[in-house]
Amino acid sequence: MRKESLKTIFLFAALLFLSSFSINTSTFGDSPKAMAPLPLSQYLGYARTSADWVWTHYQEIVDRWRQSFEPDNVFGYRPPSGLLEMAAIYAHLFEKEKRQDYAQRAKKVLLTYGDFRSHYPDWAKKKRPDYEDGVPVLPDFFTVMRYIRAYDILNRSNLLDKAERQKIEGDIAHSIEYLLRSQEWGTMNRTALRAESLAWAVRALLSHPRARTWEMQRRALGDDNWGNWQIEDATIYNGVWLYSLLGYADALGKREELLKTPEMFYYAHYYLHLMSPAGMIPDFGDARWESNWAHFLVFFEAAAAVLKDPQLKWAAATISRKFIDFKDPSNVGLGYILLDCARWGSDSLAPRPPTTLSEEVMEDVQGKKIVFRNGWEATSTYLLLNYRDEGDGGLNFRDYLRDTIPVEEEKMTHGHSDENSLVLLMSGGSVLLHDAGYRDYMPSGPYGAYRQDYFHNRLCVRPEKIWMGQDKGEFRYSTRNEVPGQKVLDFLRNAGSYRRVRTQKVDFLAFDDFDYSRTRLIDDNWGYAWDRVIVYIKNPELFVVFDVFKALREEWFTLSNLWHAQKILARGDHWYKIACEKIGSTQLPDKKHLLVVFPLTHYRLEGVEPIKRHYQDEFAIHQTTAQHFELGETTGFITLLIPHPKEAPYLDWVDRISLIQAEPERAGLGVTIESDGKTIVVAAKSDLRMDMARDWRRPKYTYEAGRIRFGDFETNGDLLLATLTRGVEKTSPANLSYTAVNLTKAFFRNRVLVEAKPSFFGLAFDASPDGAGIGKLRYWRDEVELEQD
């Protein structure tokens, strides 16, 4: 590689590092407690003990495999698990310690692993066209490299005679030829696994007659993944991809080089900043709660060592101390991964947790996620918004997968219809909202389970009208599911096929008192845009969610605002107290509950319907409306999410929240919140283009076209958050603190709070004289004293 190219790469990496921490100091919280790392010797000790456990239970494992063997498995022949991992661990230990018994144990597996094929019947072979050249010894590309790694060590150590080498190399070669029958390529986990296996095969069998072909295919698959962006937005498969690329680079002797690429540097910090109070990256896309943590552990250990980053070491320490049970070191699959933690990690780094709070992770092109948080402790509040769409990258790869495998329910690939969804909400150690899960069956479960939009905490839209039902001539909501009309989920459900949309970040800001995001989903085919506005208020702690729908064509639309709960503990007029006590078999802390409040209720069908998601029975809470929309017409929903201690009073919250009627009607959404002697106003503009009044000169907007009145306030800003604190005495002044975003002017009770000054604007398109114009302020924050009424 040319020196200029290397300089560019490392300069980019340095800039990325700096940009990931160049955040307003107001977003820094108290330093979390430091965590002691696990010594690498503990990883190695677990690997050794797990291999010993398998060796001790060798015959028992084989007998159990025989009893449960399924010849008609959809994946074909599958030999016993655990033996290859044991062989790889023992081979490594022999190389370091020269214990001959370890070498002989690994050698036994390599020489006898093909014998298990005798249990695979002829009738099953005949059903598989890919077995026409015989059943491979290594049919699973997830584990091929484990066999070859063990052989590479034993062969370099001259522990095999000619006949043994020929047998093992013949098994490897036949298995690699079988691997090449399945053509999957692109920046994804399954390609990386194949590339890793090919890299090890070329390394171990360099003089084999087919090695040149394997090398060509190694490059064909591996080069796409090296220094490129992955196309999968799914926690499980992100971890597999990262670990496979590390193994691939390890075979090539280029692991440090890989981790210093801008893309791997990016991903190290991307996953670090997604870490949740649960001690793991949240599950999104095809994923399960707290699944695949071991792959992220080894990635963090390897990246921390190469990049010398104590925060990445903290992520590794957090995961390892939470999940590894050193008292029961019988999981040899984990032992194999921990062996690589010991090989690639470092004991010289002291873990240091991040201190940045709410932030974009990492930006609005590739990551497309926003985290709201107040700390990095297990009890901190954390909310993850995922607005990742399929995007424009990896087009050739995505198209090939669509054309080759049955993945019509997936956002290509392994992704969900989860754009603009709230993936995880935690507070006080409790899970308050969680994601949908992976799937019930292959390729998906009923109604596209669990990938379609109605399995997620998001707005669902259909270009037709639901029968909403009436009672005594008046529309009603229901807290008991008694409203006549169609069931909402029955109306929304379909085959679950993914429909491509695109997403954008509109805005993100973080302050001491609140954080704010606005993200947009655009459906060009159905003709609508949906903005999700999230305002995280720090004191009192709650989230205000505005969902704004805008019709991009004249059409009937049904809109359903969905929130999912594992338990509904209480409910009343437009409020629900919910909790999540378990996900699958995992019991969760139950220290906090979540109050869900709908302040905007006019012409809204409201209710609860049972739904199965994440492999368990849950409830979908919905607020739904339907109508014919004119071009550009907007409507919206308001949801307040209020975490609170489970035993704390909560009903008073309902009376402390009130709707603000915007003027003009539907021009904006707003609420007031009463709390401890202060009134908080939160309001957002619905249509951000409403103030565009002319094209013949700049600015295109005018205040008159964009102004909205929210009670005592008037502004043309995108967002307003104001707190009115009353004085202790009647004669003492009140204090008004406010923030307005993207504005030229703001009023309170007809008093000017802020007004941008005019500047000079020229070059009008109609050739009119140059003149004054007013540019919009990015935002304005201030405090003023007010006389008490």
Side-chain angles (χ1 to χ4, degrees):
M1 183 177 290
R2 295 177 60 190
K3 290 183 178 179
E4 291 84 359
S5 299
L6 285 171
K7 285 177 64 178
T8 301
I9 286 175
F10 288 115
L11 177 60
F12 177 84
L15 290 172
L16 183 59
F17 178 83
L18 292 172
S19 67
S20 66
F21 296 102
S22 59
I23 301 174
N24 188 307
T25 55
S26 67
T27 65
F28 286 75
D30 296 334
S31 297
K33 297 176 183 176
M35 179 175 293
L38 281 177
L40 300 184
S41 59
Q42 281 193 254
Y43 292 138
L44 188 62
Y46 187 107
R48 183 194 307 272
T49 308
S50 67
D52 290 342
W53 187 94
V54 172
W55 179 253
T56 302
H57 297 83
Y58 191 104
Q59 192 58 48
E60 179 186 336
I61 291 170
V62 172
D63 291 343
R64 191 163 56 244
W65 170 79
R66 288 195 181 105
Q67 294 169 6
S68 61
F69 184 67
E70 297 181 10
D72 56 352
N73 186 310
V74 66
F75 296 112
Y77 166 66
R78 284 296 181 265
S81 61
L83 303 185
L84 298 185
E85 292 79 3
M86 179 191 73
I89 294 169
Y90 277 146
H92 172 82
L93 292 173
F94 162 75
E95 185 176 39
K96 298 300 180 185
E97 302 170 8
K98 307 306 179 185
R99 280 185 54 173
Q100 289 297 319
D101 56 335
Y102 286 165
Q104 293 306 313
R105 293 172 185 181
K107 183 176 176 180
K108 175 184 176 179
V109 173
L110 299 183
L111 291 171
T112 64
Y113 203 62
D115 298 346
F116 295 111
R117 292 176 294 175
S118 62
H119 293 274
Y120 198 62
D122 288 340
W123 62 263
K125 298 176 190 175
K126 293 176 182 178
K127 292 172 63 175
R128 305 277 311 196
D130 50 339
Y131 291 169
E132 64 180 8
D133 293 331
V135 180
V137 173
L138 307 169
D140 185 0
F141 58 83
F142 276 81
T143 58
V144 171
M145 71 293 293
R146 301 175 185 188
Y147 184 101
I148 304 176
R149 279 176 62 171
Y151 170 69
D152 183 54
I153 293 173
L154 298 188
N155 187 41
R156 285 188 285 102
S157 302
N158 296 313
L159 291 177
L160 301 164
D161 61 31
K162 182 177 179 181
E164 290 169 337
R165 280 199 307 274
Q166 287 179 341
K167 172 177 172 42
I168 294 172
E169 291 188 2
D171 289 344
I172 292 174
H174 181 254
S175 298
I176 292 297
E177 293 298 318
Y178 169 76
L179 179 147
L180 292 175
R181 281 177 171 267
S182 299
Q183 296 298 326
E184 290 185 305
W185 37 266
T187 49
M188 62 166 189
N189 79 97
R190 296 166 68 89
T191 306
L193 287 160
R194 285 175 163 80
E196 181 185 3
S197 297
L198 286 163
W200 281 105
V202 171
R203 169 172 164 160
L205 280 68
L206 188 59
S207 60
H208 193 278
R210 294 283 291 171
R212 185 174 180 181
T213 298
W214 302 341
E215 171 64 7
M216 177 261 292
Q217 285 298 292
R218 190 276 301 172
R219 292 196 61 181
L221 302 182
D223 287 358
D224 283 341
N225 285 270
W226 189 286
N228 212 336
W229 302 113
Q230 59 185 329
I231 62 173
E232 295 168 313
D233 191 46
T235 308
I236 284 181
Y237 295 105
N238 293 166
V240 173
W241 183 76
L242 292 168
Y243 184 40
S244 297
L245 276 181
L246 286 173
Y248 173 74
D250 192 37
L252 300 178
K254 296 181 177 181
R255 184 169 40 82
E256 290 196 15
E257 184 179 328
L258 171 72
L259 287 166
K260 289 180 179 178
T261 61
E263 293 79 14
M264 285 297 108
F265 187 94
Y266 170 94
Y267 282 124
H269 291 89
Y270 170 74
Y271 293 111
L272 168 67
H273 287 265
L274 284 176
M275 285 284 287
S276 78
M280 176 53 185
I281 295 146
D283 50 308
F284 51 83
D286 280 353
R288 304 176 187 90
W289 176 249
E290 294 184 340
S291 60
N292 217 25
W293 53 267
H295 287 85
F296 288 100
L297 167 60
V298 68
F299 175 70
F300 281 134
E301 285 285 9
V306 170
L307 301 175
K308 297 179 172 46
D309 190 320
Q311 294 187 352
L312 299 177
K313 187 68 174 180
W314 170 86
T318 299
I319 293 173
S320 61
R321 291 198 173 276
K322 172 168 183 175
F323 291 104
I324 301 175
D325 183 2
F326 286 98
K327 296 179 181 178
D328 181 25
S330 59
N331 185 339
V332 74
L334 174 59
Y336 175 85
I337 295 175
L338 296 186
L339 172 66
D340 286 337
C341 287
R343 292 177 60 226
W344 300 338
S346 171
D347 280 328
S348 65
L349 284 171
R352 188 176 73 241
T355 54
T356 54
L357 301 181
S358 299
E359 60 183 333
E360 296 184 64
V361 183
M362 297 280 287
E363 32 51 62
D364 61 348
V365 177
Q366 182 63 31
K368 287 196 166 185
K369 292 174 180 63
I370 295 175
V371 168
F372 298 87
R373 68 164 88 233
N374 66 358
W376 289 82
E377 304 288 354
T379 55
S380 297
T381 296
Y382 174 102
L383 176 70
L384 173 59
L385 166 72
N386 185 9
Y387 67 102
R388 182 75 165 87
D389 56 0
E390 194 170 278
D392 296 324
L395 177 63
N396 193 31
F397 309 145
R398 298 181 196 272
D399 284 348
Y400 177 72
L401 289 170
R402 259 188 287 262
D403 296 340
T404 308
I405 54 178
V407 286
E408 69 174 44
E409 297 92 352
E410 300 177 30
K411 177 170 61 183
M412 204 58 49
T413 174
H414 286 299
H416 289 195
S417 300
D418 58 358
E419 298 91 348
N420 251 358
S421 71
L422 296 190
V423 172
L424 177 65
L425 173 58
M426 292 187 67
S427 187
S430 297
V431 174
L432 304 177
L433 295 172
H434 72 91
D435 207 37
Y438 192 165
R439 63 187 177 199
D440 263 355
Y441 313 103
M442 290 194 302
S444 283
Y447 310 110
Y450 301 111
R451 292 164 167 149
Q452 186 52 285
D453 54 2
Y454 33 76
F455 293 105
H456 295 87
N457 299 307
R458 55 161 291 176
L459 186 72
C460 295
V461 179
R462 298 293 182 268
E464 50 197 338
K465 186 178 181 182
I466 190 174
W467 177 49
M468 298 181 66
Q470 292 181 339
D471 183 54
K472 296 181 181 179
E474 296 181 358
F475 176 79
R476 293 180 51 204
Y477 75 95
S478 172
T479 60
R480 296 175 300 280
N481 234 16
E482 295 175 353
V483 172
Q486 288 179 272
K487 297 292 187 183
V488 167
L489 288 178
D490 286 345
F491 176 83
L492 294 174
R493 281 170 174 155
N494 50 40
S497 303
Y498 177 75
R499 299 190 62 265
R500 189 173 182 184
V501 297
R502 54 192 178 95
T503 60
Q504 299 171 330
K505 182 198 78 175
V506 178
D507 209 350
F508 174 77
L509 293 167
F511 301 109
D512 288 335
D513 50 340
F514 78 96
D515 306 320
Y516 153 67
S517 73
R518 185 166 187 149
T519 49
R520 176 172 298 158
L521 179 152
I522 303 165
D523 191 322
D524 294 301
N525 293 318
W526 279 358
Y528 73 87
W530 157 42
D531 284 13
R532 169 153 278 185
V533 179
I534 300 175
V535 180
Y536 173 31
I537 299 175
K538 313 292 180 67
N539 183 25
E541 188 175 65
L542 55 86
F543 296 87
V544 180
V545 182
F546 299 124
D547 288 300
V548 181
F549 173 89
K550 180 178 180 179
L552 304 181
R553 67 177 185 179
E554 295 182 20
E555 181 60 275
W556 297 97
F557 284 106
T558 296
L559 322 173
S560 192
N561 183 26
L562 294 182
W563 304 93
H564 296 87
Q566 191 250 325
K567 285 281 184 81
I568 298 180
L569 305 172
R571 55 198 284 194
D573 290 356
H574 316 298
W575 62 265
Y576 305 83
K577 179 182 171 72
I578 68 174
C580 185
E581 298 174 356
K582 71 179 186 70
I583 300 178
S585 60
T586 303
Q587 295 296 316
L588 302 171
D590 188 31
K591 295 181 179 180
K592 281 196 175 184
H593 294 161
L594 182 68
L595 183 65
V596 181
V597 183
F598 298 137
L600 175 57
T601 60
H602 177 253
Y603 197 56
R604 299 289 188 274
L605 174 66
E606 187 179 314
V608 175
E609 296 184 16
I611 187 171
K612 187 172 183 180
R613 61 195 295 270
H614 216 118
Y615 319 101
Q616 63 187 16
D617 293 330
E618 296 194 354
F619 298 96
I621 302 168
H622 74 86
Q623 214 185 23
T624 302
T625 190
Q627 67 171 79
H628 184 272
F629 284 83
E630 300 298 327
L631 178 65
E633 187 175 354
T634 64
T635 193
F637 298 87
I638 305 176
T639 308
L640 271 74
L641 305 173
I642 308 172
H644 60 279
K646 60 182 295 186
E647 304 298 342
Y650 63 91
L651 284 176
D652 60 328
W653 271 110
V654 179
D655 296 327
R656 289 156 53 189
I657 299 167
S658 58
L659 178 71
I660 301 175
Q661 295 293 345
E663 300 175 22
E665 187 178 2
R666 290 199 181 186
L669 298 171
V671 292
T672 61
I673 303 161
E674 301 292 337
S675 175
D676 298 329
K678 60 184 179 183
T679 300
I680 302 171
V681 173
V682 189
K685 181 185 288 186
S686 293
D687 185 355
L688 299 186
R689 306 299 295 172
M690 67 176 288
D691 46 357
M692 301 302 148
R694 61 198 176 201
D695 187 59
W696 54 272
R697 62 159 297 181
R698 298 295 183 269
K700 296 171 67 174
Y701 48 82
T702 65
Y703 178 79
E704 290 71 23
R707 64 187 178 92
I708 307 172
R709 179 168 288 276
F710 296 103
D712 290 334
F713 293 89
E714 180 183 290
T715 184
N716 64 337
D718 295 354
L719 179 85
L720 172 71
L721 191 141
T723 301
L724 180 63
T725 305
R726 292 173 285 279
V728 178
E729 304 292 337
K730 288 185 178 181
T731 57
S732 59
N735 177 271
L736 174 66
S737 62
Y738 67 91
T739 301
V741 177
N742 194 15
L743 74 155
T744 60
K745 197 183 304 186
F747 294 86
F748 176 71
R749 296 174 184 169
N750 298 318
R751 168 183 171 178
V752 175
L753 294 175
V754 59
E755 182 174 7
K757 295 181 178 181
S759 182
F760 182 79
F761 286 81
L763 303 177
F765 296 116
D766 66 346
S768 59
D770 299 340
I774 299 176
K776 287 191 174 184
L777 299 164
R778 175 66 177 98
Y779 62 78
W780 195 264
R781 287 167 61 80
D782 201 359
E783 292 188 20
V784 295
E785 284 192 354
L786 304 170
E787 295 297 326
Q788 293 273 32
D789 292 337

